[in-house]
Amino acid sequence: MPPTLPEPAAMSRALMLLQAGQLVGLPTETVYGLAADGLNPFALRQIFAAKGRPVDHPLILHLGDAAWLPRYAEPDPRAEALAAALWPGPLTIVLRRKPGVPDEVTGGRETVALRVPAHPVAQALLWAFGRPLAAPSANRFGRVSPTTAEHVREELPGVFVLDGGPAVVGVESSIVDLSGPVPALLRPGGVSAEAIAAMVGPLGASQTVAPGTLPGHYAPRTALRLSHTPDAEAEAARAQGLTVAILRAGEPQDHARRLYAELRRLDALGVDLLLAEPSADAALGVAINDRLSRAAYGAKEPR
Ligand code: TXA
Ligand code: MG
């Protein structure tokens, strides 16, 4: 399905808001982002305030294309290879920063995370704006990421959202750290570890975790448990008088695409327990299971 394109008036309004240091809900191919001028400290601070996000959690700078990279980060041949093969797309690269990148973006680190999003609306806005956009996922801190414009409006009422249709990947970008000698995967995502390793060599254990990828993330309010045998577990739980909903695995791309929307929908049912079937897929399934485990982490027991 081709992505929905917003009205030209909506694009102009988004551009005006960004130029004024305000926030815009931005469709990307992974999830919706909460975008602000990536070089304007005032604008960047609005992101943290709106999300309730700790200020030392660094942000991803979104670029129009790979030619923008040397303005903000030290070029690296491994990054060039990755960018040539996988940008635009669901891959974020962490590199040593150039001076001039605000501390609000890097959380005061010597590194910066960069990504070229593939969504045509994100592309159009980046090129019209001509500057990088900092954009975390457009959810309140710790909650399920939004994959539709409507989700963003529910999470962050009052933020102007460009509607680009449902996100086609459905889970966030993979993050690879190339700031040290050994590349490391900081977050599994839309690009498989194998695809990254094929370009840059074996991935080492991450020296740093991506700050903010906490175990208890992406959390619905309902108790959530991963289950390889959801039907049997549901039956057992129902026998104890609990109400149960099941989020089933399936074809991996479809599973990733509907993951967050279904978590939201099932969470709103008000049942006692959600059972989520993990993905058996070796590529996208790693990202899906990562998000499900975080959503289940520390989940309360069903009422
Ligand atoms: O798909 C995505 O990446 C989405 C869309 C909107 O582009 N964005 C996204 O942003 O997921 P956010 O803020 O929810 O997650 C960004 C992750 C955080 O875990 C953060 O710690 C990590 O990237 N990160 C950012 N800068 C970093 C840096 N310099 N070093 C290590 N990790 C970094
Ligand atoms: Mg996020």
Side-chain angles (χ1 to χ4, degrees), residues 103-174:
D103 282 344
E104 284 80 359
V105 169
T106 65
R109 286 170 187 73
E110 286 309 309
T111 56
V112 62
L114 304 167
R115 161 166 128 79
V116 175
H119 197 291
V121 174
Q123 277 286 320
L125 199 64
L126 278 162
W127 283 97
F129 192 50
R131 290 153 71 86
L133 291 173
S137 50
N139 50 281
R140 295 200 44 85
F141 182 65
R143 307 227 61 93
V144 177
S145 303
T147 52
T148 67
E150 197 47 42
H151 296 162
V152 183
R153 294 186 188 112
E154 286 163 21
E155 286 278 325
L156 303 165
V159 171
F160 178 70
V161 188
L162 282 173
D163 191 345
V168 294
V169 176
V171 291
E172 295 85 346
S173 59
S174 306

Side-chain angles (χ1 to χ4, degrees), residues 154-226:
E154 286 163 21
E155 286 278 325
L156 303 165
V159 171
F160 178 70
V161 188
L162 282 173
D163 191 345
V168 294
V169 176
V171 291
E172 295 85 346
S173 59
S174 306
I175 305 180
V176 62
D177 183 0
L178 296 181
S179 65
V182 181
L185 189 68
L186 301 187
R187 177 175 75 183
V191 172
S192 74
E194 289 66 34
I196 298 168
M199 313 290 310
V200 298
L203 300 174
S206 61
Q207 298 93 334
T208 57
V209 304
T213 46
L214 305 171
H217 224 99
Y218 314 101
R221 291 177 176 83
T222 313
L224 177 111
R225 202 187 287 157
L226 269 72

